Each structure stands twice: as C-alpha cells, then as structure tokens.
C-alpha cells in the first residue's frame, strides 16, 4: 500500500511552488521557467523530468533559496527558502558527489555535524555512531577509513547520500544524482535510496532525465515542457510500495512510461536514453 502523505495535505512538511517564473538577463533575455506551480506533501517522493534546458536544476536552486525567481514564491514546511535553509531543512545530493579528497569516507559523512555543531537539528550524542549507521544503511560498512579516490563512483554517491542525511533534513533535493553512473550501479542505488527514504521519510524532489527512473522511484512525476519550462502534467504513479526492479517490465509501467515519453516527444539523442545516460 502506498502510505505517503497526499500532495496538498495540511502536513507542514511539504513544498509549495506557486507561479515561479525565472528570466536570465542579457542582450537577449531568456525565460527559463514560466508560471510553474505544484505542491509536494510532507514525506512524498516526487520526480521532476523534462527536456534538457527546461529549467529543472534552476527550479531546484530556487526551492533551495540559492536563486531568486523573477515572480512567484516557494514555501518549505511553511517557511521561505531562506528560513528553511537557516533552519537546516535541506539536504543536497548532486550529480557529482563533491567529497573532500583529504577526508576519509567517515570524515566526509561527519563533516556537516562538525560544521553545524549545536545547530545540528538531530542533536546527536554520538555523531560518529550515527554516521557509521548511515554508511551501513547505504551498503558501505567496512569502507569508513577509505579515501574517496579509493572507492568507485557509485560508492562515492552513496557517501554523498549518507552525508546529506547525516543531520536529518526534512527535505532532500537531488539533482540527477545517478546520471553519470552505469545502469547496474544506478539500479542498485535506486533500491538503496528507496530503502533509506522509507526509513527517514524525508520529502524528496528528484531531478532526472530518465523517465524509467522517475516512475520507479516516485509517488508522482512532474513533467516540464521545453524552455520556458512550465508544468505540462503531474502524473500519479499507481504502483504499490515496496517496489522491485522487475516492475519496470510490467505492461502498466510501460504504458505510463510511453504516455510521458509521447508527451515530451523525447529524442533520445538529445534528452538522454531510457537509462538516463547522455550519449
């Protein structure tokens, strides 16, 4: 049974995007996003898809308070993005793991606690034990003392995920975190991400070029149009949880994938192939 909190509920843990328009200046101004609105319920997993250049990453930065929109507003748990960032509501995972090469795996996961100190929302008594537990959750037990250069790209992304979760953020923003990985590593990380999400119940907004990945992971898929990005459709994903990779071969999964692909009219040579890898 799908037990996520419905979008638009009264739960304070969600994200509300209301009429976001973003224009970049210059001699020929470019409108990246136009009148984008949707809501994410607290604890919901939502994927954001659309053609390259449609403003997905820009929208993520606006939600995080890293960019100001031309018009419109965002609230996160009822707060402005600046307030949410001040209150350490956000966890970030990007396509590059951005690990510090001079710190071991455990040190990278512990870094937010050392930076935040008393501002750490979890107020963990034994931060190291917590970090070790997170590494165990993402399948990296035994690699705590390795340096980033000594582990694979997929393992580095797992370290980045553990680090993002180390201070218990209410909201996890993920910008194509598995886009550069091979298919088998990506599949494994999708399963691990869903398990960690099941335990933490963070609100997740996950940007991806892969429709297959978006449908497999999420409760709903927000589909943006080509630039300027606007919401073409918000598709409910009707499959019960927990999910296994084999669901991707079911006719109803293929039908939903086909509907969204037709809506986007995706050219695999431009927007990425079925596994989200750019040629």
């Amino acid at each position: 049974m799908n037990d996520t909190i419905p979008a638009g509920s009264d739960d304070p843990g969600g994200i509300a995007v209301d009429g976001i328009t973003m224009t970049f200046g210059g001699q020929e101004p470019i409108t990246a996003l136009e009148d984008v609105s949707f809501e994410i319920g607290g604890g919901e997993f939502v994927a954001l898809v659309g053609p390259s250049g449609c403003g997905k990453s820009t929208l993520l930065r606006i939600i995080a308070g890293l960019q100001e929109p031309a018009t419109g507003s965002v609230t996160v748990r009822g707060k402005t993005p600046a307030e949410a960032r001040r209150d350490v509501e956000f966890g970030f995972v990007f396509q590059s793991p951005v690990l510090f090469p001079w710190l071991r795996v455990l040190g990278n996961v512990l870094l937010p606690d050392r930076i935040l100190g008393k501002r750490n929302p979890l107020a963990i008594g034994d931060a190291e034990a917590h970090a070790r537990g997170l590494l165990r959750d993402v399948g990296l037990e035994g690699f705590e003392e390795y340096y980033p250069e000594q582990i694979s790209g997929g393992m580095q992304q797992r370290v980045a995920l553990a680090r993002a979760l180390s201070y218990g953020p209410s909201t996890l923003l993920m910008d194509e975190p598995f886009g550069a990985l091979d298919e088998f590593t990506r599949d494994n990380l999708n399963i691990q991400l869903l398990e960690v999400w099941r335990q933490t119940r963070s609100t997740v907004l996950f940007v991806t070029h892969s429709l297959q990945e978006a449908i497999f992971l999420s409760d709903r898929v927000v589909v943006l149009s080509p630039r300027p990005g606007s919401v073409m459709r918000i598709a409910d994903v009707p499959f019960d949880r927990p999910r296994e990779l084999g669901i991707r071969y079911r006719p109803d999964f293929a039908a939903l994938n086909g509907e969204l692909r037709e809506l986007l009219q995706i050219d695999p040579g431009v927007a990425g192939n079925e596994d989200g890898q750019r040629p």
Side-chain angles (χ1 to χ4, degrees), residues 118-158:
K118 293 181 180 180
R119 293 180 61 236
N120 187 335
L122 288 182
I124 300 164
D126 191 342
E128 181 172 329
H130 177 65
R132 289 181 181 275
L134 285 170
L135 288 170
R136 182 176 59 251
D137 291 342
V138 298
L140 288 177
E141 186 174 20
F143 290 90
E144 294 87 350
E145 301 306 318
Y146 283 65
Y147 286 100
E149 66 178 9
Q150 296 175 310
I151 60 178
S152 70
M155 295 168 78
Q156 290 179 23
Q157 280 297 73
R158 284 185 259 172

Side-chain angles (χ1 to χ4, degrees), residues 194-214:
L194 287 181
E195 177 57 25
V196 170
W197 171 71
R198 184 188 66 80
Q199 296 175 37
T200 64
R201 305 309 293 181
S202 295
T203 303
V204 179
L205 182 57
F206 187 98
V207 171
T208 178
H209 273 84
S210 170
L211 287 174
Q212 200 175 72
E213 182 175 58

